[in-house]
């Protein structure tokens, strides 16, 4: 459930009121055009209760960074934050500690990334019979682009486009994919600490993506978050466009990344985008190519239609 498509939820509602919707829900950010102009405004929300429970300060920094990457992926310059801080009873010293440390992490990340907190709300005492909710501070972030035609797609655009990625793969001991979803760990003392978010690397990666996008060199882009590269690639599949990739360490396919993005480019732009990456001190890694109706990992083919159908439909099937 953590990784499959959730479009069944928002497809029941009208997301195109007045016809100024540029990006539908479910992508890295929802985007609308300001009526009568070329300006685009995008928004995204993120929350990671598991991260906050393990380490509130580091978890909050990671949450802010993920919202930041969601906007960057679409070529939106992040501008500001609103927050929704949901916690159990602050009369419990542990809960109060979660709240205080989360705010510390939020302040540090927002200041470093130049995304001021302009609004927010707080909801406390969320518990039943002394059973607290997980800490769920939600980050909403808004960004803009003066020309909506320069926005990035989050879906693959053409067969034989080259797929690249940037960022640093985190050790599996820091990965919720392995810790929670694969090992089925439930006790908090079974988790290791979080890796601290390198905000300087986040800024460098963002500058690279924004500069490349403004020059029209990126065909599609998605950040790497929970579920790793593989989950990012699944989100980028569009109708009959899949991927053929090679990766040396398969574990790296599923782990979270620091300042990580998957991008697809036209091969003729490889030299230009390499120059921008070097200027921003960013290492570019080749992953593979976009291929029609294909999911191929290290020459092991997976049934494209079966994977795509399950990714798109299983949530609705489970709910029903």
């Amino acid at each position: 459930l953590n990784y499959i498509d959730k479009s069944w939820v928002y497809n029941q509602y009208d997301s195109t009121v007045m016809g100024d919707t540029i990006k539908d829900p479910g992508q890295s950010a929802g985007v609308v055009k300001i009526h009568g102009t070329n300006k685009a405004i995008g928004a995204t929300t993120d929350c990671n209760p598991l991260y906050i429970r393990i380490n509130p300060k580091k978890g909050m920094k990671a949450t802010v960074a993920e919202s930041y990457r969601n906007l960057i992926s679409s070529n939106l310059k992040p501008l500001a934050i609103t927050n929704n801080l949901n916690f159990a009873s602050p009369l419990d010293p542990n809960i109060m500690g979660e709240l205080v440390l989360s705010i510390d992490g939020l302040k540090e990340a927002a200041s470093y990334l130049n995304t001021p907190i302009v609004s927010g709300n707080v909801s406390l005492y969320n518990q039943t019979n002394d059973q607290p909710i997980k800490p769920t501070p939600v980050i909403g972030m808004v960004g803009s682009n003066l020309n909506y035609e320069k926005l990035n797609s989050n879906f693959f655009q053409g067969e034989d486009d080259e797929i690249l990625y940037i960022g640093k793969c985190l050790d599996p001991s820091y990965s919720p994919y392995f810790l929670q979803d694969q090992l089925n760990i439930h006790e908090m003392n079974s988790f290791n600490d979080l890796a601290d978010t390198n905000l300087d690397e986040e800024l460098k990666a963002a500058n690279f993506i924004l500069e490349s996008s403004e020059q029209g060199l990126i065909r599609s882009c998605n950040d790497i978050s929970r579920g790793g590269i593989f989950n990012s690639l699944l989100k980028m599949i569009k109708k009959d466009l899949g991927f053929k990739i090679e990766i040396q360490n398969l574990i790296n396919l599923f782990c979270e990344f620091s300042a990580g993005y998957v991008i697809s480019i036209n091969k003729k732009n490889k030299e230009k985008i390499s120059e921008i990456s070097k200027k921003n001190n960013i290492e570019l890694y080749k992953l593979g190519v976009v291929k029609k109706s294909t999911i191929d990992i290290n020459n092991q083919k997976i049934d494209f239609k079966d994977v795509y159908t399950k990714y798109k439909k299983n949530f609705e099937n489970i709910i029903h």
Side-chain angles (χ1 to χ4, degrees):
L1 275 176
N2 285 328
Y3 304 98
I4 55 180
D5 183 83
K6 308 296 194 306
S7 58
W8 175 83
V9 176
Y10 50 78
N11 281 348
Q12 300 179 59
Y13 304 93
D14 184 2
S15 61
T16 60
V17 176
M18 294 182 68
D20 279 331
T21 300
I22 298 174
K23 282 195 173 190
D24 294 334
Q27 301 185 55
S28 66
V31 186
V32 295
K33 182 166 71 76
I34 297 178
H35 200 62
T37 76
N38 288 331
K39 296 178 182 178
I41 295 291
T44 183
T45 58
D46 284 285
C47 183
N48 199 322
L50 175 64
Y51 274 28
I52 306 298
R53 179 57 57 85
I54 296 172
N55 186 312
K57 184 172 182 177
K58 292 181 181 179
M60 199 63 178
K61 288 169 64 177
T63 302
V64 173
E66 183 172 351
S67 284
Y68 189 82
R69 289 194 301 271
N70 284 339
L71 294 176
I72 295 295
S73 296
S74 293
N75 192 24
L76 293 161
K77 181 182 179 181
L79 297 176
I81 289 174
T82 185
N83 62 64
N84 173 216
L85 307 180
N86 305 289
F87 291 87
S89 172
L91 299 178
D92 181 330
N94 292 319
I95 304 300
M96 177 58 83
E98 289 177 346
L99 175 59
V100 171
L101 290 171
S102 293
I103 293 172
D104 284 346
L106 173 57
K107 177 184 177 182
E108 181 177 336
S111 298
Y112 203 94
L113 298 175
N114 194 26
T115 50
I117 303 161
V118 297
S119 65
N121 62 36
V122 179
S123 177
L124 303 176
Y125 302 97
N126 294 290
Q127 57 190 61
T128 302
N129 297 329
D130 295 326
Q131 293 299 312
I133 64 165
K134 289 181 180 179
T136 52
V138 180
I139 293 300
M141 193 177 293
V142 65
S144 71
N145 192 306
L146 296 180
N147 185 355
Y148 73 92
E149 293 182 347
K150 290 188 175 183
L151 295 177
N152 290 332
S153 173
N154 302 128
F155 298 115
F156 292 134
Q157 296 298 295
E159 188 173 21
D160 295 327
D161 281 350
E162 189 165 343
I163 303 172
L164 309 168
Y165 72 92
I166 65 172
K168 180 182 178 182
C169 183
L170 301 183
D171 187 278
S173 60
Y174 296 118
S175 167
Y177 176 83
F178 289 100
L179 293 177
Q180 185 179 58
D181 301 319
Q182 297 301 305
L183 302 181
N184 202 27
I185 292 176
H186 297 292
E187 297 298 324
M188 289 313 303
N189 58 10
S190 299
F191 289 99
N192 289 327
D193 196 7
L194 297 180
D196 198 12
T197 300
N198 188 324
L199 296 173
D200 186 54
E201 290 297 320
E202 295 288 349
L203 281 175
K204 283 176 20 182
N207 289 336
F208 162 71
I209 296 292
L210 292 177
E211 184 174 349
S212 301
S213 301
E214 286 298 305
Q215 293 189 30
L217 302 177
I218 292 179
R219 298 263 280 163
S220 65
C221 181
N222 205 1
D223 73 304
I224 305 173
S225 54
R226 189 165 182 169
I229 288 175
F230 184 70
N231 199 47
S232 294
L233 290 170
L234 284 181
K235 292 178 180 178
M236 296 173 81
I237 289 175
K238 183 179 181 182
K239 294 180 181 178
D240 62 346
L241 289 178
F243 53 87
K244 176 180 171 62
I245 63 169
E246 290 187 13
I247 190 164
Q248 187 171 5
N249 188 345
L250 284 175
I251 288 180
N252 292 352
L253 200 58
F254 301 99
C255 281
E256 285 67 37
F257 268 61
S258 172
Y261 298 84
V262 174
I263 65 174
S264 69
I265 65 169
N266 189 308
K267 292 180 181 179
K268 69 179 183 181
N269 292 325
K270 181 68 177 291
E271 186 175 342
K272 289 182 180 179
I273 207 165
S274 294
E275 291 174 0
I276 297 174
S277 69
K278 290 176 183 177
K279 185 176 74 171
N280 287 280
N281 197 24
I282 294 292
E283 188 92 29
L284 267 179
Y285 301 96
K286 183 176 179 179
L287 191 58
V289 293
V290 178
K291 283 293 179 185
K292 189 174 181 180
S293 302
T294 298
I295 296 179
D296 185 321
I297 303 171
N298 292 353
N299 294 316
Q300 296 293 314
K301 290 188 176 181
I302 305 171
D303 188 310
F304 176 85
K305 185 176 181 181
D306 181 58
V307 171
Y308 186 68
T309 301
K310 287 178 178 176
Y311 175 71
K312 288 291 186 180
K313 298 295 184 181
N314 270 9
F315 184 79
E316 180 180 354
N317 294 336
I318 291 169
I319 293 296
H320 283 167

